[in-house]
Amino acid sequence: MSKRQPSTISVRTGIETDSTWGAVVPPIYLSTNYSFSGYDHKGPFDYSRSANPTRSLLAEALAELEGGAGAVITNTGMAAIHLVCSLLGPGDILVAPHDCYGGSYRLFEALSGKGAFETIFVDQNDEQALSDALSRSPKLVWLETPSNPLMRLVDIANIAKQVKEQNALLAVDNTFMSPVLQQPFEFGADIVVHSATKYINGHSDVVIGAVIAKTTELHEKLAWWANCQGQTGSAFDSYLTLRGLRTLVPRMRTHQENAQIVAEFLEGHSGIKKVYYPGLESHPQHELAKSQQKGFGAMLSFELDADEQGLINFIERLKFFCLAESLGGVESLIAHPATMTHAGMSAAAQLEAGITPQLLRVSVGLEDSDDLVSDLKQALDGVAS
Ligand code: PLP
């Protein structure tokens, strides 16, 4: 049979597999443990930390969506990132983006600080800086594209080529795109990481993560560490996430249609200094986004032309954008990276990464786009009030 398309994978995984009652939707297995069929006869499942039937279905779907050999479902996105760090030991080098998600930055910095490995943070679009970092023979290179919160892209295929020359592994945090809009294995990645809390679950009611490996060998190694360290996700969270995943493709379609409308509106408004959205022609990597991604996603950032009070006025007037962390849910959100998502970074690191006090990040939801635009318009009208 030909390769299944993303909507089919999302909708059909596990459907009609219940041999007990013929349930169309796969039931949730909450049991901690599973009986052996006899002395020394273990079935496919024995203890839910190691493996669980509900979690396995979600892993199967995500591995197929990304085109990998296997996936490990973890209890948070950060646990997924931490799990990948288990591949590193003292003396190993990790090359990570200087503007990665604040939680990833904090984890890499903290683990390096206690000697677990060494991290080199680098602007991965600075060819010289990247090549200097790669010449130190890293074991792992981390990418996040588009980056959080400034939507900077990196060319995965180009970096993958350089990483392979160093015999290093390449991991990509694909949270912002979801497997529907970007498949890093196509471009040479070895590991894909998701905060499945975001688009994959899509309903802001689960915190969960995933690591997908390109090869069976790497998958087995990661699954071993996840069991050893107790990082695997719960059956209930896996069940909810599989439920959310069913609609991933149509959600992503509407998310990005709305985001394009919102981005164009903001770009045309005199109260906005700059908009960062790969779907705008003004985005410096618009062409790369067109070739590497299957869409532009629904995350955007912008700089408000206002002082701190103006920024507060703007945020307080918004009705359809919740001031909240996270992203990728059906509801629109707005965040102030400097005091929220990226507060874990020092002021100097924030500035280095381009995070100014006027920067706001939006996760565009599935509300009606006319309502979103008129809400932004009325809030912008009140900036000076
Ligand atoms: N990666 C990215 C790009 C994120 O935005 C986040 C959270 O916002 C994470 C990883 C961490 O995921 P979680 O919050 O599920 O632990």
Side-chain angles (χ1 to χ4, degrees):
M1 206 165 104
S2 61
K3 238 172 79 175
R4 300 200 296 180
Q5 294 301 310
S7 330
T8 311
I9 300 166
S10 305
V11 171
R12 300 284 330 173
T13 301
I15 296 289
E16 277 193 318
T17 53
D18 172 42
S19 53
T20 311
W21 302 108
V24 170
V25 170
I28 178 170
Y29 288 90
L30 291 169
S31 186
T32 305
N33 43 6
Y34 296 81
S35 304
F36 282 51
S37 58
Y39 173 75
D40 204 18
H41 278 282
K42 183 164 91 74
F45 301 98
D46 59 350
Y47 187 56
S48 273
R49 169 162 39 77
S50 333
N52 168 279
T54 309
R55 195 169 67 229
S56 293
L57 279 183
L58 177 61
E60 198 186 296
L62 293 183
E64 191 178 351
L65 280 168
E66 285 288 5
V72 179
I73 303 302
T74 54
N75 43 40
T76 65
M78 285 317 303
I81 297 168
H82 199 185
L83 173 60
V84 178
C85 292
S86 312
L87 301 174
L88 301 172
D92 289 337
I93 292 178
L94 164 70
V95 172
H98 71 316
D99 57 350
C100 59
Y101 166 62
S104 311
Y105 192 99
R106 178 175 55 196
L107 178 70
F108 298 151
E109 200 174 45
L111 290 175
S112 303
K114 60 177 196 165
F117 51 84
E118 183 189 340
T119 306
I120 305 176
F121 290 105
V122 65
D123 176 350
Q124 294 171 332
N125 279 314
D126 177 337
E127 282 179 25
Q128 189 57 50
L130 179 64
S131 137
D132 288 349
L134 294 179
S135 70
R136 302 263 321 270
S137 302
K139 182 154 184 197
L140 178 69
V141 176
W142 192 268
L143 307 185
E144 193 185 309
T145 179
S147 72
N148 181 6
L150 287 174
M151 314 300 141
R152 291 196 188 113
L153 275 69
V154 289
D155 185 332
I156 305 173
N158 179 32
I159 296 183
K161 213 161 65 200
Q162 301 174 59
V163 169
K164 293 300 126 188
E165 281 163 14
Q166 299 293 334
N167 286 323
L169 290 171
L170 183 66
V172 179
D173 185 331
N174 202 23
T175 298
F176 272 33
M177 288 283 96
S178 90
V180 175
L181 299 185
Q182 180 168 271
Q183 292 171 305
F185 292 139
E186 277 180 11
F187 303 105
D190 302 291
I191 297 169
V192 173
V193 171
H194 282 282
S195 166
T197 310
K198 319 299 188 208
Y199 290 106
I200 289 175
N201 175 59
H203 294 76
S204 304
D205 51 9
V206 177
V207 180
I208 191 165
V211 183
I212 302 110
K214 180 155 191 180
T215 64
T216 307
E217 187 198 352
L218 203 46
H219 173 239
E220 280 171 2
K221 212 181 262 184
L222 289 160
W224 187 89
W225 275 112
N227 179 48
C228 173
Q229 298 178 141
Q231 287 157 314
T232 48
S234 81
F236 192 66
D237 290 348
S238 300
Y239 179 84
L240 280 179
T241 305
L242 190 58
R243 192 176 193 273
L245 183 77
R246 303 292 185 207
T247 55
L248 180 64
V249 173
R251 276 191 287 111
M252 291 315 292
R253 200 179 296 137
T254 308
H255 270 300
Q256 60 178 3
E257 273 169 23
N258 281 0
Q260 187 73 34
I261 292 168
V262 167
E264 286 173 11
F265 163 74
L266 291 171
E267 191 171 48
H269 197 285
S270 59
I272 305 292
K273 274 200 273 192
K274 195 164 173 47
V275 182
Y276 302 90
Y277 181 63
L280 292 175
E281 280 179 22
S282 60
H283 189 284
Q285 293 157 308
H286 181 61
E287 291 306 317
L288 175 59
K290 281 206 279 192
S291 64
Q292 181 167 277
Q293 302 174 183
K294 297 186 171 86
F296 301 116
M299 293 302 298
L300 59 91
S301 301
F302 60 95
E303 290 200 28
L304 200 62
D305 192 2
D307 58 11
E308 190 180 17
Q309 189 53 53
L311 187 108
I312 295 169
N313 294 345
F314 172 73
I315 290 170
E316 287 185 348
R317 286 174 70 101
L318 287 170
K319 293 189 177 58
F320 300 142
F321 294 79
C322 317
L323 179 63
E325 310 240 352
S326 202
L327 59 110
V330 294
E331 72 292 345
S332 291
L333 304 173
I334 193 159
H336 182 238
T339 56
M340 296 169 66
T341 48
H342 290 63
M345 287 165 89
S346 68
Q350 283 189 2
L351 222 58
E352 166 96 20
I355 300 165
T356 67
Q358 282 77 32
L359 187 76
L360 289 165
R361 187 192 78 179
V362 172
S363 169
V364 182
L366 303 183
E367 300 89 346
D368 187 278
S369 58
D370 286 347
D371 288 340
L372 293 178
V373 166
S374 54
D375 192 30
L376 288 164
K377 191 167 176 325
Q378 65 77 24
L380 282 163
D381 290 344
V383 163
S385 61

